[in-house]
Amino acid sequence: MATFLKAPDTSSKLDILSASARFDICLSSCSTNSSGTSGRIRDPLDPLRKWIYPAHVPGKGRVGILKVLQTNVCKNRCTYCSFSALKDNVVRTGFRPDELAKAFMELVRTDMVHGIFISSGVGVNTDTTMEKMILTAEILRKHYRFDGYIHLKILPGASYNLIEAAASYANRLSVNLESPGRELLGLIAPDKDMIRDLVLPMKQTGEILRRGARASSQTTQFVVGATDESDCDIMKTVDWIYRRLFVFRAYFSAYQPDERETGRPLPPEPLLREHRLYQCDFLLRAYGFGLQELVFDASGNIPLDVDPKTAYAMMHPECFPVDINRAEKHHLLRVPGIGPVSAERIIRERIGNPFHGLEALKGTGVVTDRSAPYILFSGKRDRSSAYRQRWLFEETACSGWRTGVFPYRNETFSNKAKTAMPQPPSSIYPALAGKPVAWRGRRLT
């Protein structure tokens, strides 16, 4: 039986409702890198700061964001959720809108936070809970004159007029898809219909943002490993929502069973898988990669033993080596060790002063240990380099890696060499137009 607090103080509510919000990944700093370091708990030894997350806000640098639920009372039976209606041992409580706004502003005045992310369980019904979340934001904007960052979660099945109201107060909105398919979602969230409750509100949010609102972007999240979905399933869905639903970014949360949970057949999902998904997502958003260029194994999953960009290079020896002094930007971006910033520097600095070796290239930020096997300097290898390219047929022929995944058509997986380096895409994802794409996890080049 669930436990209810009749009259908890504000500090207790902050601790309970911020702890419940920790798995809702909304910030770049909350993702996990390949070393296994998670951003879900910032400072567990400090009771005041343990649920404050660092975020990079354009024009303001690194700021603290409070992640909190309006309430953890929820009627939905999501199996992955720490405050699901299925859980009997959860202390249930919630904030009144004025109470949460006041508590947050007290943190702002102490300079501990400069923004807030508000999510919530679904209490009596979706719209009643959404109204409380929106009222909290309205009080912050109108009563306290708070002009900082507000992120509001759009709850499943929220009404159109409430999405409009949320967009008028928030800087960012988000609708969590959680799973890449309707049937898979039904296994972990039996009370949600993917199309009616998630895709439709996401579509409506995109339409509102396109017309112009205070909110400038929307994001989503996938729970990774709570079902038997493949990475290919996830990335195909990510590509689709970027192209069709005006979504700025997807987040990935590796399934981690509640420590109090018993009888759950699935073990914790490796954090490295979460990290590889972030890397593939970044290739799509910032490097101009197409979905069909991502590498998957025979099971449709991203290889864990090598980063996705190196896997691409190993799969396509016909595209390498790339000449540093002649290649266009989209060719440079497919070289392991070269990222968007270093590619721009190469193009700028090679004018009238071509690069002649790896030492000179280091000044641009290129990770030369990774790039050396895949590059030339005016048609020549670096003389000091003893590197060789890692060819697919030499090292990974038995892995069953494939490229060539296309949405909305019968997939044809082929590892046959292509005749030329892929050309740059004719258009970028609509929601990314004119916006910087940041990577705050472990560096991906």
Side-chain angles (χ1 to χ4, degrees):
M1 181 176 181
T3 303
F4 288 82
L5 290 178
K6 294 183 178 180
D9 58 26
T10 299
S11 178
S12 296
K13 287 186 178 183
L14 278 174
D15 190 47
I16 294 167
L17 296 174
S18 294
S20 296
R22 69 191 183 278
F23 291 113
D24 204 331
I25 310 301
C26 62
L27 310 168
S28 299
S29 60
C30 298
S31 59
T32 304
N33 63 33
S34 60
S35 64
T37 303
S38 174
R40 293 187 176 91
I41 299 178
R42 306 314 305 161
D43 189 355
L45 299 180
D46 187 335
L48 293 178
R49 294 181 181 271
K50 65 181 178 180
W51 305 118
I52 295 175
Y53 293 75
H56 293 262
V57 177
K60 296 184 179 180
R62 193 180 181 91
V63 300
I65 302 292
L66 174 67
K67 285 175 58 183
V68 66
L69 300 180
Q70 192 80 40
T71 179
N72 65 355
V73 176
C74 192
K75 65 183 181 65
N76 289 337
R77 299 164 295 163
C78 304
T79 60
Y80 56 85
C81 183
S82 63
F83 57 92
S84 165
L86 296 171
K87 304 294 175 65
D88 293 330
N89 52 357
V90 177
V91 177
R92 306 284 182 174
T93 188
F95 280 111
R96 301 186 314 274
D98 62 313
E99 184 183 19
L100 178 54
K102 180 181 178 180
F104 170 69
M105 289 307 300
E106 289 176 355
L107 295 175
V108 172
R109 293 187 185 104
T110 61
D111 207 34
M112 292 175 62
V113 298
H114 296 84
I116 187 170
F117 170 88
I118 306 175
S119 184
S120 185
V122 179
V124 177
N125 59 63
T126 294
D127 283 359
T128 298
T129 308
M130 275 297 308
E131 287 170 356
K132 292 181 180 179
M133 296 166 64
I134 293 167
L135 183 54
T136 300
E138 181 181 8
I139 293 170
L140 289 173
R141 296 297 193 204
K142 293 184 176 181
H143 179 75
Y144 291 104
R145 305 295 180 186
F146 176 69
D147 195 39
Y149 179 80
I150 297 179
H151 184 146
L152 289 179
K153 180 70 62 182
I154 303 300
L155 298 182
S159 298
Y160 184 87
N161 65 310
L162 294 179
I163 298 175
E164 278 191 311
S168 69
Y169 294 115
N171 299 87
R172 176 172 285 182
L173 304 175
S174 54
V175 181
N176 284 357
L177 283 182
E178 312 295 11
S179 180
R182 178 182 285 183
E183 293 183 2
L184 292 172
L185 180 68
L187 297 176
I188 59 176
D191 303 295
K192 298 177 185 177
D193 179 85
M194 173 164 276
I195 303 303
R196 181 194 64 221
D197 297 331
L198 303 177
V199 173
L200 178 58
M202 184 178 287
K203 180 177 183 290
Q204 293 172 334
T205 299
E207 292 170 350
I208 291 168
L209 298 185
R210 282 177 183 269
R211 293 202 307 266
R214 183 176 195 133
S216 60
S217 61
Q218 72 164 320
T219 63
T220 192
Q221 174 180 292
F222 293 87
V223 178
V224 180
T227 64
D228 61 352
E229 82 285 339
S230 69
D231 294 333
C232 183
D233 294 331
I234 294 174
M235 295 312 302
K236 286 179 68 174
T237 304
V238 167
D239 174 73
W240 184 79
I241 63 174
Y242 284 166
R243 289 186 291 106
R244 301 292 296 273
L245 298 181
F246 205 72
V247 175
F248 174 71
R249 177 163 188 188
Y251 290 89
F252 309 96
S253 179
Y255 171 72
Q256 304 295 308
D258 192 295
E259 59 185 9
R260 298 163 296 184
E261 194 171 1
T262 59
R264 177 67 178 170
L266 294 175
E269 193 65 17
L271 296 178
L272 180 56
R273 182 186 178 193
E274 177 184 305
H275 182 62
R276 292 290 185 237
L277 285 166
Y278 275 112
Q279 289 180 312
C280 284
D281 175 73
F282 200 54
L283 290 179
L284 294 180
R285 293 187 301 120
Y287 285 70
F289 272 62
L291 175 68
Q292 71 276 11
E293 296 176 85
L294 299 182
V295 177
F296 300 98
D297 64 20
S299 300
N301 291 314
I302 302 165
L304 297 180
D305 56 345
V306 63
D307 72 89
K309 196 175 177 189
T310 299
Y312 170 83
M314 294 167 65
M315 281 285 292
H316 296 283
E318 76 283 358
C319 296
F320 300 94
V322 169
D323 197 312
I324 290 295
N325 293 316
R326 300 168 183 166
E328 297 181 26
K329 182 179 178 180
H330 64 279
H331 292 168
L332 292 173
L333 286 175
R334 279 157 177 74
V335 177
I338 298 180
V341 174
S342 54
E344 292 281 1
R345 289 174 179 167
I346 289 170
I347 293 171
R348 183 173 62 250
E349 295 178 19
R350 71 188 182 186
I351 300 174
N353 186 27
F355 294 92
H356 296 289
L358 295 174
E359 283 301 315
L361 198 59
K362 288 180 179 179
T364 65
V366 173
V367 183
T368 55
D369 285 349
R370 296 180 59 198
S371 64
Y374 304 98
I375 58 177
L376 298 175
F377 297 90
S378 299
K380 300 178 181 179
R381 291 276 187 186
D382 181 274
R383 292 183 178 180
S384 65
S385 174
Y387 300 100
R388 67 178 180 86
Q389 184 169 342
R390 297 173 62 188
W391 301 114
L392 174 67
F393 62 84
E394 291 177 344
E395 299 187 20
T396 60
C398 297
S399 69
W401 290 3
R402 300 289 187 269
T403 59
V405 177
F406 294 91
Y408 311 120
R409 65 183 73 176
N410 294 327
E411 278 106 57
T412 302
F413 290 96
S414 173
N415 61 359
K416 294 181 180 179
K418 297 182 180 180
T419 58
M421 175 75 79
Q423 295 303 302
S426 58
S427 62
I428 63 174
Y429 296 124
L432 273 64
K435 292 188 176 77
V437 179
W439 170 258
R440 301 295 179 186
R442 185 175 178 180
R443 182 158 134 176
L444 171 67
T445 50

